Amino acid sequence: MTAVHAFGRSPARHCKSCGAAVEWRVPDDGDTRQRAVCSTCDTIHYDNPLNVVGTIPVWDNKVLLCLRNIEPRFGKWTLPAGFMELGETLAEGAARETQEEAGAHIEMGSLFSVLSVMRVGQVHFFYHARLLKLDFDPGHETQKVQLFAEHEIPWDELAFRTVRETLIRHFADQASGQHGFHTIDIN
Ligand SMILES: [Zn+2]
């Protein structure tokens, strides 16, 4: 049976344990979904959503955005964020991505938004962060960083809907004086 090419991922064709070709089928253990099953060593490969972690770095009423220097969305603006790595916590990953993409010195705050992005099989987490100084050293993934007040945000030039949805709620909370926690589902 041919695996469905979904969520922007290529279906596994070979077993990660022994290298034999896998078979796509519903395992015999009561599972209800198709998995890549190795008939040589019986390993079942589970493909689950990936975590993307980032921050909303703030200075006064302005937010730091990064101009992307890589695909996808080269030349579009994003909050600093990237894939969580093994061996780190959510907050550690968010701080690391902020360091790597913006070279920003921050104090981490609380978790602000959690976004389920079902189409690509990802969950995005954004933390509040306070910039400690206006001294940036962006990495190779970023052309430049810039601070934006709400009316300066390049809404039509944002790289990702998760960034847009997070910024909308950030500025709404800022305007209302509330500090909410936001869960958002994106199809
Ligand atoms: Zn195998």
Side-chain angles (χ1 to χ4, degrees):
M1 194 177 291
T2 305
V4 177
H5 185 96
F7 308 114
R9 300 180 194 174
S10 300
R13 299 189 188 285
H14 294 95
C15 175
K16 287 179 186 170
S17 296
C18 76
V22 296
E23 181 184 2
W24 277 84
R25 62 177 173 82
V26 179
D28 306 321
D29 59 1
D31 204 337
T32 56
R33 291 173 181 250
Q34 280 196 15
R35 314 282 183 189
V37 181
C38 179
S39 47
T40 302
C41 76
D42 294 330
T43 298
I44 302 170
H45 300 81
Y46 298 92
D47 200 8
N48 299 105
L50 294 171
N51 295 332
V52 172
V53 287
T55 61
I56 312 158
V58 168
W59 180 273
D60 290 335
N61 63 341
K62 296 190 172 188
V63 169
L64 177 145
L65 296 179
C66 300
L67 187 63
R68 288 174 64 82
N69 194 38
I70 51 169
E71 296 293 351
R73 316 293 164 81
F74 178 95
K76 302 287 187 185
W77 292 95
T78 185
L79 290 164
F83 288 108
M84 188 179 179
E85 298 286 0
L86 296 173
E88 67 186 6
T89 66
L90 272 183
E92 286 169 352
R96 175 185 53 74
E97 287 290 342
T98 305
Q99 174 59 40
E100 288 177 4
E101 297 193 357
H105 302 271
I106 58 166
E107 178 183 82
M108 288 290 289
S110 59
L111 185 59
F112 176 76
S113 63
V114 176
L115 306 99
S116 296
V117 193
M118 285 164 280
R119 187 175 50 79
V120 292
Q122 297 175 359
V123 184
H124 292 216
F125 301 82
F126 286 94
Y127 280 82
H128 289 289
R130 191 169 67 87
L131 287 165
L132 299 174
K133 52 182 175 178
L134 297 182
D135 178 11
F136 308 115
D137 181 22
H140 76 281
E141 296 179 17
T142 303
Q143 295 179 40
K144 64 172 179 176
V145 301
Q146 192 172 323
L147 292 168
F148 295 90
E150 182 177 12
H151 68 278
E152 300 167 330
I153 295 282
W155 294 105
D156 295 333
E157 297 295 324
L158 295 178
F160 304 107
R161 177 135 173 242
T162 51
V163 171
R164 176 185 180 82
E165 299 291 339
T166 294
L167 287 174
I168 287 171
R169 286 160 181 81
H170 166 76
F171 286 114
D173 277 10
Q174 187 174 280
S176 69
Q178 295 184 334
H179 296 284
F181 169 70
H182 303 275
T183 55
I184 302 154
D185 296 336
I186 298 176
N187 286 302

